[in-house]
Amino acid sequence: MKTIRLAIVRQKYRPDGGAERFISRALEALDDQNIELNIITRQWEGKPNPKWKIHLCNPAKHSRVSREKGFAAAAQTCWKAAQFDIVQSHERIPGCDIFRAGDGAHRVWLEQRARIISPAQRLLTRLSPYHRYVLHAEEAMFHSAELKKIICNSEMVKRDIMRCYGVDASRFSVIYNAIDAEKFKPATDEQRRESRAKMAIPEQAVALIYVGSGFERKGLKPAIQAIASSDRYLIVVGQDKAQKKYESLARQLGCFERIRFMGVQNNVLPYYHAADGMILPTLYDPFPNVILEAMACGLPVITSQTCGGAEFITEGQEGFVCDALDIVKLAEFVKRIPSRLENAQMSHAARERILPYSPKNLSQQLVALYHSLLI
């Protein structure tokens, strides 16, 4: 069988990023296949597999727009010179064979963000050179003659792109992210106790976890508001420049003593082990890996209708879904998440739901897609 020379394009590889975790899991799964793996990137953090070929494209950048434009031009030059069989971009760069819409549609994100910002901020967004560039690049890429397939990690993103850009349904492949259910598994009683002791969370209390950096987009404010009207604890894993604002909100609402701000963690597993459920009322998220990780750990999930992860949730079974800004509903759902010590039914349902989405399954879907494009 002929070796497929595959290039994957990602501007900056960060080990804790959702898109990067998809790439890492996909590459590891593909490693045993007859595929030569090439990475086109500006910056790679972490330790890549020595069998992967890294192509660094790091032109000078003076602004957000020049950063995007410069990398796009350098990446295009790189892949044209190397004449790869397939170029799969995770950035909005016209001319790729496959685009993985891991960040969703930028136009839809701006629609959702407009719900929570002031009229002045909405005006600035419309005038922003950066947002105008991204919207232009997004449209040019989706209408590019070279684009053969769009990989979406949820049906929601597929619908968003079809609505915004009129792309035909035949050009999509919905491939959900993979989860290592052997690594992410429910806590033992001892693991739960140890994790809670380190954060001073009472053993009998119900605790929810929020995982995500970029608190505005991921919905930390409504999560805190929902927690405030209950007796639940909240574990916050992630970072944001405006963290003090969220701490102040928690103090105003009288729930700061029940919230644990833990910052970014390379290993989130002990924090999942301390929790009984996840809350992530994100304004817009194609399908965050943290939902799969939490469900694999047996945590029912509260999330929003504008999160692709909602597709894995039947209300009252694996968790609950509502509008990202519906504080009344979120508060109700927070109270309906049981302690895993008292009732593990939702915990079992959450884990069972994600078991088919293994790295092996992801690999098979990707390899089948690549071969279909080369026929």
Side-chain angles (χ1 to χ4, degrees), residues 122-135:
R122 288 198 288 272
L123 177 61
L124 287 173
T125 298
R126 285 198 297 273
L127 298 175
S128 160
Y130 172 75
H131 291 301
R132 289 166 69 179
Y133 169 80
V134 173
L135 291 171

Side-chain angles (χ1 to χ4, degrees), residues 120-296:
Q121 287 174 307
R122 288 198 288 272
L123 177 61
L124 287 173
T125 298
R126 285 198 297 273
L127 298 175
S128 160
Y130 172 75
H131 291 301
R132 289 166 69 179
Y133 169 80
V134 173
L135 291 171
H136 174 76
E138 189 167 81
E139 183 163 18
M141 185 198 57
F142 284 131
H143 292 153
S144 166
E146 292 91 349
L147 185 64
K148 300 178 181 73
K149 278 289 181 182
I150 301 161
I151 298 175
C152 298
N153 56 4
S154 65
E155 292 286 347
M156 178 193 79
V157 171
K158 175 182 172 180
R159 292 192 301 270
D160 288 342
I161 295 170
M162 290 174 68
R163 171 175 66 85
C164 291
Y165 297 105
V167 181
D168 189 80
S170 64
R171 298 179 73 188
F172 292 88
S173 286
V174 176
I175 301 177
Y176 290 107
N177 295 356
I179 181 66
D180 183 348
E182 289 303 307
K183 176 182 177 183
F184 294 95
K185 56 176 61 175
T188 64
D189 290 347
E190 182 60 28
Q191 286 171 327
R192 188 177 190 271
R193 277 195 298 272
E194 287 181 4
S195 293
R196 287 187 166 221
K198 289 175 182 176
M199 290 181 281
I201 296 174
E203 194 174 331
Q204 299 304 318
V206 175
L208 280 78
I209 187 169
Y210 162 103
V211 183
S213 294
F215 293 166
E216 179 186 72
R217 177 172 183 158
K218 301 282 187 178
L220 182 57
K221 180 179 178 180
I224 291 172
Q225 290 171 318
I227 288 288
S229 63
S230 73
D231 61 354
R232 276 38 178 159
Y233 282 70
L234 180 64
I235 303 162
V236 178
V237 177
Q239 66 180 3
D240 191 286
K241 290 181 289 187
Q243 178 172 314
K244 290 193 181 302
K245 180 179 78 173
Y246 294 89
E247 293 175 356
S248 176
L249 173 67
R251 286 191 176 92
Q252 289 169 23
L253 296 176
C255 60
F256 181 75
E257 297 302 318
R258 290 184 282 114
I259 298 182
R260 306 291 183 264
F261 287 91
M262 306 310 300
V264 172
Q265 299 292 331
N266 288 330
N267 180 17
V268 187
L269 197 54
Y271 301 91
Y272 289 135
H273 284 169
D276 298 291
M278 166 173 273
I279 182 166
L280 196 73
T282 179
L283 266 176
Y284 183 64
D285 212 324
F287 198 135
N289 281 312
V290 296
I291 286 185
L292 291 174
E293 293 171 357
M295 292 176 76

Side-chain angles (χ1 to χ4, degrees), residues 101-114:
D103 297 324
H106 193 68
R107 187 186 291 183
V108 179
W109 156 234
L110 294 181
E111 288 173 359
Q112 290 301 319
R113 184 170 178 263

Side-chain angles (χ1 to χ4, degrees), residues 318-353:
E318 300 91 359
F320 303 94
V321 179
C322 66
D323 184 86
L325 304 180
D326 190 338
I327 308 304
V328 173
K329 277 284 187 186
L330 290 170
E332 174 196 331
F333 294 157
V334 161
K335 293 169 186 171
R336 291 175 66 182
I337 297 291
S339 164
R340 286 181 61 241
L341 295 179
E342 297 174 8
N343 183 348
Q345 189 172 342
M346 291 182 77
S347 173
H348 294 319
R351 181 166 170 82
E352 286 296 314
R353 183 66 179 85

